[in-house]
């Protein structure tokens, strides 16, 4: 499905004006714009780089032509259809403030529609919120994500890509570095979304004890869903992850209520 092109800059002749509308959230970016944003974030990694400025420049097709007395003569628009005007730093900052969301992934998942852009073969992504993704694939994604955080092994990203973009082959296909960045951000957003949707199950652990291993977490999740009946494991793994997480959240809420009543009656 082709994404509708977003018009960020418009012009009028009488009187000569330019109207620039920047996105204020990840969800307001078209697929093409999302790709531009990830490319900019991946390219401008030096702390001195002003990522919002480069994103603004890309989204508005802006080029600075010259500077005079603190102002900048900027050309906006693609190709030969350009509009030129003087821009002050104050005017520019107003637009950059809209892009503050770039520093926070948030909890509303967005993702590139396809991975493998510009190659002979590309792959369509699953639902951004992981609807219709099996519980087994969700568990794999969580393990791979945690593994990447520990080791920074890009192989984990390729394996996540194979789940999130069915058909992708980790040992044969390639993704660009900005596409890898988009995979990680997608996972961060999914985790934020699930933390809000299932607050009892994803409630932070209390105490100072070390975090349990992912194997232990996975085994506890499976045990909770099957009530210890191993014959049901294969069936559970095929269920939509949202359905499984809903049940796990309900069980976690029940456990909280049980503990609350038990402590109250002590």
């Amino acid at each position: 499905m082709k994404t509708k092109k977003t018009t960020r800059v418009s012009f009028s002749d009488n009187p000569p004006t330019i109207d620039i509308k920047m996105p204020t959230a990840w969800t307001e970016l078209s697929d093409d714009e999302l790709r531009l944003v990830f490319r900019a974030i991946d390219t401008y990694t030096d702390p001195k780089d002003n990522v919002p400025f480069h994103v603004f420049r890309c989204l508005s097709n802006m080029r600075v032509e010259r500077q005079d007395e603190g102002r900048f003569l900027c050309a906006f628009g693609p190709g030969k259809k350009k509009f030129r005007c003087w821009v002050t730093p104050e005017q520019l900052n107003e637009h950059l403030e809209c892009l503050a969301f770039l520093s926070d992934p948030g909890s509303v998942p967005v993702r590139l529609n396809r991975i493998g852009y510009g190659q002979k073969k590309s792959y369509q992504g699953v639902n951004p919120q992981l609807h219709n993704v099996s519980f087994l694939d969700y568990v794999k994604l969580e393990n791979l994500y945690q593994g990447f955080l520990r080791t920074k092994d890009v192989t984990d990203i390729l394996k996540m890509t194979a789940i999130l973009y069915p058909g992708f082959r980790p040992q044969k296909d390639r993704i660009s570095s900005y596409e890898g960045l988009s995979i990680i951000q997608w996972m961060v957003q999914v985790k934020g979304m699930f933390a809000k949707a299932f607050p009892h199950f994803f409630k932070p652990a209390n105490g100072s004890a070390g975090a349990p291993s992912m194997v232990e977490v996975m085994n506890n999740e499976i045990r909770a869903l099957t009530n210890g009946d191993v014959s049901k494991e294969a069936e559970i793994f095929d269920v939509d992850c949202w359905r499984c997480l809903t049940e796990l959240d309900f069980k976690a809420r029940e456990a909280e209520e049980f503990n609350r009543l038990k402590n109250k009656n002590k």
Side-chain angles (χ1 to χ4, degrees):
M1 180 178 178
K2 190 174 181 179
T3 305
K4 184 178 179 181
K5 188 174 181 179
T6 304
T7 301
R8 294 293 176 192
V9 182
S10 58
F11 317 105
S12 61
D13 295 326
N14 190 21
T17 57
I18 178 172
D19 184 29
I20 302 174
K21 295 181 180 179
M22 285 290 106
T24 60
W26 289 100
T27 52
E28 295 179 13
L29 293 165
S30 69
D31 186 63
D32 288 340
E33 290 179 335
L34 191 61
R35 201 172 291 278
L36 285 174
V37 168
F38 280 125
R39 278 175 166 164
I41 295 174
D42 183 57
T43 300
Y44 300 102
T45 57
D46 192 289
K48 296 179 182 179
D49 290 331
N50 188 335
V51 172
F53 169 76
H54 291 291
V55 169
F56 172 82
R57 178 177 56 79
C58 292
L59 295 182
S60 64
N61 286 295
M62 182 192 78
R63 185 179 73 250
V64 178
E65 297 191 335
R66 63 190 176 93
Q67 179 180 357
D68 182 50
E69 297 182 353
R71 300 181 307 163
F72 300 91
L73 180 61
C74 300
F76 294 88
K80 296 181 180 180
K81 297 180 180 180
K82 293 188 179 296
F83 184 94
R84 290 172 173 79
C85 66
W86 289 97
V87 178
T88 66
E90 292 75 20
Q91 290 172 323
L92 179 59
N93 283 334
E94 288 181 10
H95 293 294
L96 297 188
E97 287 176 0
C98 296
L99 301 173
F101 71 90
L102 295 173
S103 62
D104 180 12
S107 57
V108 181
V110 297
R111 54 97 171 99
L112 299 175
N113 286 340
R114 305 189 72 86
I115 216 76
Y117 185 82
Q119 300 181 35
K120 291 183 178 180
K121 191 172 184 180
S122 62
Y123 302 92
Q124 176 69 43
V126 300
N127 179 273
Q129 298 181 346
L130 302 193
H131 288 293
N132 299 318
V133 170
S134 72
F135 182 63
L136 177 59
D137 281 344
Y138 164 74
V139 170
K140 289 179 179 178
L141 283 170
E142 181 65 28
N143 285 332
L144 290 167
Y145 175 73
Q146 296 298 335
F148 174 77
L149 292 183
R150 290 193 306 270
T151 66
K152 298 298 185 291
D153 187 349
V154 295
T155 302
D156 290 330
I157 297 181
L158 295 176
K159 292 179 179 178
M160 281 188 276
T161 304
I163 297 172
L164 295 170
Y165 293 86
F168 179 86
R169 301 163 299 177
Q171 296 181 353
K172 293 185 178 180
D173 295 319
R174 298 182 298 107
I175 60 173
S176 64
S177 56
Y178 80 85
E179 288 174 326
L181 177 64
S182 76
I183 295 291
I184 296 301
Q185 172 144 315
W186 185 4
M187 285 300 299
V188 172
Q189 292 170 336
V190 164
K191 290 176 70 66
M193 174 190 65
F194 281 158
K196 287 186 175 181
F198 309 111
H200 301 283
F201 180 63
F202 288 102
K203 186 176 182 179
N206 296 321
S208 58
S213 69
M214 286 309 301
V215 173
E216 181 182 348
V217 171
M218 181 183 68
N219 286 334
N220 288 338
E221 291 174 356
I222 296 171
R223 191 175 297 113
L225 291 170
T226 63
N227 292 319
D229 187 347
V230 295
S231 65
K232 295 182 179 179
E233 288 188 5
E235 180 181 349
I236 290 298
F237 281 141
D238 285 337
V239 175
D240 187 305
C241 65
W242 274 82
R243 181 67 191 91
C244 289
L245 292 173
T246 299
E247 183 64 22
L248 288 169
D249 191 65
F250 178 77
K251 288 179 178 293
R253 185 177 65 182
E254 281 187 324
E256 288 176 11
E257 182 65 17
F258 175 79
N259 290 331
R260 187 184 67 80
L261 292 175
K262 183 176 68 174
N263 293 332
K264 182 179 180 181
N265 295 327
K266 280 185 178 179

